[in-house]
Each structure stands twice: as C-alpha cells, then as structure tokens.
Amino acid sequence: MGYKVAVVGATGNVGREMLQILAERSFPADEVVALASERSVGQVVSFGEDDELRVQDLSRFDFKGIDIVLSSPGAKVSAAFAPRAAEAGAVVIDNTSQFRMDPDVPLVVPEVNPGAIAGWCKKGIIANPNCSTIQMVVALKPLHDLATIRRVVVATYQSVSGAGKDAMDELFTQTRAIYVNDPVERKKFTKQIAFNVIPHIDSFMDDGATKEEWKMVVETKKILDPKIKVAATCVRVPVFIGHSEVVNVEFERPITADEARRALRAAPGVSVIDHRVDEGYVTPVEVAGEDNVFVSRLREDITVENGLSMWIVGDNLRKGAALNAVQIAETMIRDGHL
Ligand code: 11C
C-alpha cells in the first residue's frame, strides 16, 4: 500500500517541482493532492508527463488520512497550516523558513544529517533548509569528515527563481525592455536585475547582514556542526535557475586539493567537474534539471592555514528545495519512520 501525499503551494516554482520529482522518482504514493491558496483553486498543475491535478483550497482541506505533506507556500502560510496538518497525523516536510531554527524541528539534508530525522515526532514537522545552505553543506560534509572545518567564507551568486515565478518574469521583462528601449520596471527586486547583480537577498538585519546570509550561518551550524564559523555574502544574479557559490574553507588539519577531490567524488549527491582547462568547470545553465551538487575550481589557498577554495553549483529548485524534501520523505520510508 502506498502513501497519501499532499503538496502545499502546488502552483509555485517549488511546488510544481515537487510534483514533477514525485512522479519522476515513482514515489510510492497512492494519492497525490495539490493544495494552494483560495485564488489558485481550480487551476490545473502537471503531475509528471501525463497526469494533471486540480488545485484544492488549503484553508478548507482536511488533512485526516494524509501521510506526508510537502510544503512550500511561504513562511506565514506554513505557520498557520503545518501544526493543523501534523495534528491530523501527517508528517509535514516544510520548505519555508518558518520552523528551521525551532529546536523541536529537525533541519535535514539526507546526505548530511539523516539521523536528525528521528526528531520529527516532537512536532510532526521537518524543515527543509534554504537552497543556498543545502548545496553548500552537501559539498562540505565529506570535507568536514576528512579534516574538520573551522571557518567558511562564502559568496553566493543566486538565480532569480529562488525569489519565485514573478521574479523570473521580471528578469525576462527587464531584459526585453532593455533590448527594445522600453522603460525598465522594477517590482520584486529593489534594483534592476537584468544585466546587473544585487548584493541583497531577503530583509536586512540589525548587524547589516541580510536574512539570507544569516540563514546560511545558523543553518550550517544546525545541520553540520555548531562549531563552524560562517561569513556569508548573498548576491542575486541575472540567471534563471541554478545558484553558484564561491566557498573558501579553513580546516583544522592540512588537506590537499587532491584529497578533497577524492572525498567529494566518493560522496553521495556530489559531482566533481574540475579540469584546469577551458570549459573544465560547471556553470548554472548546465546544472538546471540536475539532482547533484557540482564542485569545480578546487584549489589550495595558501594565504590561510589549511585552506581550500572551490566553486559549488546546484539547481536551487531541485536539490535546493523540492528534491531535498522528497529525499527526506524517501529516507523516512527507508528508515521505518513512516
Ligand atoms: C532565494 N534562497 O534564492 C532564497 C529562496 O528561506 O527558503 C528560499 C528562501 C528560503 O531567494
């Protein structure tokens, strides 16, 4: 017998990807329900190549009988519906920032801390980390196991799909407007995004960091190791899908680029494409639609003790969001939690 699955936020970028990935991976579901806010009710969303689902109203939906909820509706919506769904007996795997730092909610990347899933029963909720954190910790985990990471300095180059469908439209519309000499209109982004980069993702905090940067710091500590220091600068770039990161790491012990490459090649969820020639590295347009996190440009950094630099790229909608959530559900089934 299969599971009953509900996808919340089914009309959004991540919700659509969740439905696609459930179908693609033949997730053992007897029934899949698409839920969203009242204004999307009646819309039809694709489920795999051949099927379609009619969107139902989240606010009126009775979660009784649902086993697994995969959700990405926005933090406020999750705050309101997730406890209700968990109360009705479902496990909620939530992709928003709402529950990530709750000590009673595990924050999980299956390749990194699958053991944390056991804590799901405290609230019936598991949090999916932020996309820029996920792809970084997948690559850092095997290196941490090898030489113990002390400090990470990361700069991100994040695609507009992380900010939703409207943001993707804004990049397209602005790019077109510039080509045809129309006025450039801003809606979602605080500055022009076409042919530009914006060092600002999510809201500003009191210390001058943005919330996106703060998330990379605290989520890395919760998932990988509270002792790791992280300095992050998050930047939006005019790329549709795929986040990239320049990551500089300081370790406790010496580690060569060759050792790191070998460890990364053996690690789950990582592909190393690192040839020191033209085209011997990976860019975001090449990883859109891929499941793995890709590492290129690995090299020793001799300006610090035991330092390495690298370039990490991942599909932010897949491993950075929907795929990670589905993998959490798959791990729960494999390990007998469901
Ligand atoms: C972005 N990382 O690229 C964000 C999107 O906390 O889940 C995901 C925000 C979050 O804009």
Side-chain angles (χ1 to χ4, degrees):
M1 208 190 73
Y3 297 89
K4 291 194 174 167
V5 181
V7 173
V8 174
T11 56
N13 272 349
V14 175
R16 286 175 192 271
E17 203 69 39
M18 284 168 166
L19 289 166
Q20 172 66 23
I21 289 170
L22 286 171
E24 224 175 80
R25 293 168 77 90
S26 303
F27 189 87
D30 277 347
E31 189 183 336
V32 178
V33 183
L35 302 172
S37 64
E38 202 180 348
R39 69 174 191 282
S40 301
V41 170
Q43 269 187 42
V44 167
V45 286
S46 303
F47 179 51
E49 298 286 304
D50 306 319
D51 288 336
E52 290 181 333
L53 302 173
R54 198 163 287 280
V55 175
Q56 301 181 43
D57 187 353
L58 170 66
S59 64
R60 291 165 187 270
F61 187 74
D62 180 358
F63 284 92
K64 204 153 174 284
I66 296 288
D67 302 298
I68 303 164
V69 178
L70 302 175
S71 75
S72 194
K76 281 197 188 124
V77 177
S78 283
F81 98 84
R84 176 165 68 87
E87 181 71 21
V91 56
V92 180
I93 302 171
D94 182 52
N95 186 52
T96 75
S97 58
Q98 182 59 34
F99 302 103
R100 289 181 188 147
M101 297 317 295
D102 183 329
D104 290 334
V105 173
L107 182 64
V108 177
V109 178
E111 295 89 339
V112 181
N113 63 338
I117 287 177
W120 75 275
C121 44
K122 291 188 193 153
K123 284 202 168 161
I125 300 171
I126 296 181
N128 211 39
N130 183 24
C131 40
S132 39
T133 311
I134 294 179
Q135 68 180 61
M136 184 171 80
V137 296
V138 168
L140 291 186
K141 163 75 175 157
L143 305 180
H144 189 50
D145 289 346
L146 200 62
T148 310
I149 294 170
R150 199 183 274 171
R151 177 169 185 250
V152 175
V153 181
V154 52
T156 69
Y157 303 70
Q158 294 181 224
S159 66
V160 294
S161 56
K165 280 202 309 270
D166 293 347
M168 296 175 85
D169 290 345
E170 188 159 329
L171 172 58
F172 179 86
T173 311
Q174 286 186 357
T175 306
R176 188 184 165 282
I178 288 166
Y179 274 119
V180 301
N181 226 6
D182 275 351
V184 172
E185 284 181 27
R186 284 191 281 114
K187 288 183 186 146
K188 186 100 190 162
F189 293 112
T190 49
K191 303 251 179 179
Q192 175 185 313
I193 184 63
F195 305 99
N196 201 8
V197 297
I198 306 174
H200 171 196
I201 299 178
D202 210 330
S203 49
F204 276 94
M205 303 183 65
D206 288 344
D207 65 355
T210 63
K211 202 161 168 222
E212 184 78 358
E213 291 157 355
W214 173 81
K215 285 185 266 187
M216 290 195 80
V217 176
V218 295
E219 292 179 17
T220 301
K221 286 175 182 288
K222 183 166 175 179
I223 300 162
L224 193 53
D225 187 338
K227 291 207 273 306
I228 296 176
K229 293 179 184 159
V230 180
T233 303
C234 293
V235 180
R236 188 75 70 194
V237 296
V239 167
F240 282 103
I241 295 176
H243 287 359
S244 309
E245 299 175 343
V246 166
V247 183
N248 181 271
V249 191
E250 287 176 55
F251 295 87
E252 297 265 333
R253 290 187 290 283
I255 174 172
T256 65
D258 279 344
E259 284 171 314
R261 230 176 263 115
R262 271 198 299 279
L264 286 163
R265 286 212 167 97
V270 184
S271 296
V272 179
I273 308 283
D274 193 19
H275 309 291
R276 294 172 172 183
V277 294
D278 295 353
E279 302 180 28
Y281 46 83
V282 159
T283 60
V285 290
E286 295 158 285
V287 311
E290 296 286 339
D291 287 352
N292 273 8
V293 164
F294 289 76
V295 179
S296 305
R297 303 288 328 276
L298 242 170
R299 61 211 190 274
E300 285 144 40
D301 174 7
I302 55 164
T303 66
V304 290
E305 209 184 348
N306 309 327
L308 282 181
S309 290
M310 70 198 84
W311 170 248
I312 303 174
V313 190
D315 182 327
N316 53 298
L317 300 179
R318 288 178 76 89
K319 185 56 192 169
L323 173 65
N324 195 70
V326 173
Q327 286 172 323
I328 292 171
E330 289 171 345
T331 309
M332 293 189 81
I333 294 169
R334 184 198 69 196
D335 293 350
H337 294 292
L338 288 173

